[in-house]
Amino acid sequence: MKKSALQQARAAYKPQLPIVLTGGVKVVEGEATQSADNQEDIKNLFPNTYGLPEIRFEKVPAEESVEPINVGVILSGGQAPGGHNVISGLFDGIKNLNKKSRLYGFLMGPGGLVDHKYKELTAEIIDEYRNTGGFDIIGSGRTKLETKEQFDKGLEILKELDIKALVIIGGDDSNTNAAILAEYYKAIGAGVQVIGVPKTIDGDLKNNVIETSFGFDTATKVYSEVIGNIQRDCNSAKKYWHFIKLMGRSASHIALECALQCQPNVCIISEEVETKNLTLDQVVDDIADAVVARAKDGNNYGVVLIPEGLIEFIPAVKALISELNDLLAVKAEEFAAIDPEKQREWVLGQLSEANAKTYESLPAGVARQLTLDRDPHGNVQVSLIETEKLLSEMVGKRLEQLAAEGKYNGKYATMHHFFGYEGRCADPSNFDANYCYALGYTAACLIAAGKTGYMSSLRNLTFAPVNWIAGGIPITMMMNMERRHGEMKPVIRKALVELDGAPFLKFAKERNTWKYNTCYTYPGPIQYFGPSEVCDLPSLTLVYEQKR
Ligand code: FBP
C-alpha cells in the first residue's frame, strides 16, 4: 500500500493508555445491575448474563504467567474512525498477557464468523493499520447474528481455531446480538466469552455508563470542517442557501454537535420535532421564517443543517413507518411479487386511512423509499432519502406564497449537500485514536478476567486519557423490549438527543441569535500535530454533558 506523508507520520503516534491499564489489573466489582426497562422480560431472556455487576479495573503489579489466549474479532455495521485502533489495542492487550496469544479477524462482518472466513492478524498486519481510518483491515458487514444455526456454525470455527473469546465491535444492534450470543454460549457451556465495543459515528450508543461511541468525535470534526468552509464561502458570495443533510440514522447527535461547532442559521433536531409534534409544514415554515427575516436585512444566504433521520421523527411519518414495518414483516413476499408500478397502489390499499393519507402526501420517491430497502436490522435506509432537497423545494414553494402575499421579496438560490460517508473512515482524531486503543486494550483485560456479556468501557473522557477509568458494563444493563419486525424483542435502548440535556439547552439558548444574524464559526480541519488545545479537544457534546 502506498502511504501518504500524513499516513507515514501518523503511524508513529503512540495512543495514550489510562494509567490503570499500564501494568497488571485487578477487577473491582460494583453493585449488581438491572436492565434499562422491562426487567422481568430481560431477566427471563438472559438467565445467565442478567444482573452482572459493573466492573472497573485497578492497577496492580503485572502478572507473570498468564496462559496464551486465542481471540476473534468482528467489525460490524457502518464504518467509524478508530476501528483499527480498537483492534491494535486488543492485539497489544492479549500479547501483553502472553506473547503466544493470537488474534483472528473474521472477514466482512458477522457473516465471516458464520461462513468461516477469517485471517490471522499478525504484528506486521496490525502495524500497517495503527492510527488509520477505515475498517479495511478485515472489512465490515451488516449480517445480523440472530439464529441458533448461525451461533452453532460460528462455534464450529471458534472451536477449530481454539478461540476462547470473541470481540464484536458494533453499534446498538450489533451489541444487542453480542449479548444474545454471550448468553447462548454461556447457556450451552461453549467456553467462548463475548465482549462488545461501542462503535458508531451516530453517537446514539451511549448512556450514563457508556459516555460516547467511538467515531463520533472524528466524523463530526470532519463534517464541521466542511460546514465551516461552506459557511465561509456562503458569507463571501452571499448568494446561496445551503441545505446540508448530515448522517446519523435516527438520533440528531451529529447535527447538534456540528451546530454547536459551526453556529449555522438553522439546525433541525429530529427529537424536538417529534416532542413538539411538528408537521413537515411547520418545519418548512421555520426555515422560511429565517430566509424571509435575513432577506429583509439583505442577506439572501444561509446554512441549514438537517439530520438524516428527520423524516422518521415527524410523528405522522413515524406512525406510517411503524405500520409499514408490521405490514412488510408479514407480507414481504406478496409485496415483492407485485409489479413495481403497482406497489404504491397496493400499499395504499393495505394502510389505515390516516397513514394512507400521509403516504399519499409524500413525494413519490420518498414514499417508495419508506417501503423498500430495510437493512438487515429492519431500519429504513434514511441516508438514501434526499430530505435536503425535499425541504429546500418545500421552502421555495412557501416563499412563492409569501411573495404573492407581499411578505417576501428576496432571492432564493439553493445548494444541496449530504455529509456522511466522507466522515466515516477519516484518520481518527487524537481523541478517537486514544479512546479506541484503550477500548481494545480494556476488552483484552475483560477477556483475561473471564468476563462475558460485557461492553468495554472508558469513563471520565473529558479528562486526559491517563485519568480515564477503564472497566466493563454488562450489556443487559442497557436493554429494554421494543417492537421490531412486528414482534417484541430485547434491544439496547438507543440514546436520542435529550431536550433537557446540556448540549441541546446550549443550542436552544443561542439558536435565534444564529438564525437572524451571521455568527458562523470555522472549526478547520482535524489537527494531528501541534498544541494540545487544538489537537486533543473532545466533542462539545461531551464537554457540555460533563461540564464540571
Ligand atoms: P452503524 O449504526 O452501523 O454505526 O451505522 C451508522 C450509519 O453510518 C448511519 O449513520 C447511516 O444511516 C448508515 O450507517 C448507512 O448505512 P450503510 O453504510 O449501510 O449505507
Side-chain angles (χ1 to χ4, degrees), residues 21 25 93 119 234 390 476 510:
L21 298 180
V25 291
K119 75 172 174 201
C234 146
L390 172 73
T476 52
E510 308 282 354

Side-chain angles (χ1 to χ4, degrees), residues 76-80 142 170-172 174 199-202 204 247-249 254 308 375 380-384 421 424 494:
S76 181
Q79 285 68 251
R142 290 199 184 277
D172 51 342
S174 309
K199 169 235 71 167
T200 178
I201 62 160
D202 294 0
D204 56 8
M247 214 174 225
R249 186 186 293 112
I254 292 181
E308 80 172 2
D375 78 2
V380 176
Q381 291 193 280
V382 279
S383 53
L384 302 180
Y421 296 96
R424 298 200 309 184
K494 226 183 239 310

Side-chain angles (χ1 to χ4, degrees), residues 11-29:
Y13 180 74
K14 293 264 172 287
Q16 297 164 35
L17 264 186
I19 200 88
V20 287
L21 298 180
T22 54
V25 291
K26 101 169 179 210
V27 171
V28 179
E29 294 198 346

Side-chain angles (χ1 to χ4, degrees), residues 25 30 95 106 123 128 156 174 183 185 206 209 309 322 326 344 348 370 384 440 458-459 486 508 520:
V25 291
K95 289 285 181 188
F106 289 98
E128 282 290 298
E156 281 172 20
S174 309
E183 173 65 31
Y185 284 165
K206 66 172 176 179
V209 283
S322 167
D326 290 355
R344 183 177 166 88
L348 280 167
L370 298 183
L384 302 180
L458 274 311
R459 292 161 81 170
Y520 303 150

Side-chain angles (χ1 to χ4, degrees), residues 256 497-508 544-545:
L256 178 58
V497 168
E498 287 175 7
L499 302 187
D500 56 358
F504 179 81
L505 291 176
K506 171 77 182 160
F507 163 72
Y544 292 128
E545 279 173 350

Side-chain angles (χ1 to χ4, degrees), residues 347-363:
V347 171
L348 280 167
Q350 303 283 325
L351 291 172
S352 65
E353 202 184 325
N355 287 334
K357 223 168 140 197
T358 309
Y359 190 82
E360 244 183 334
S361 72
L362 291 171

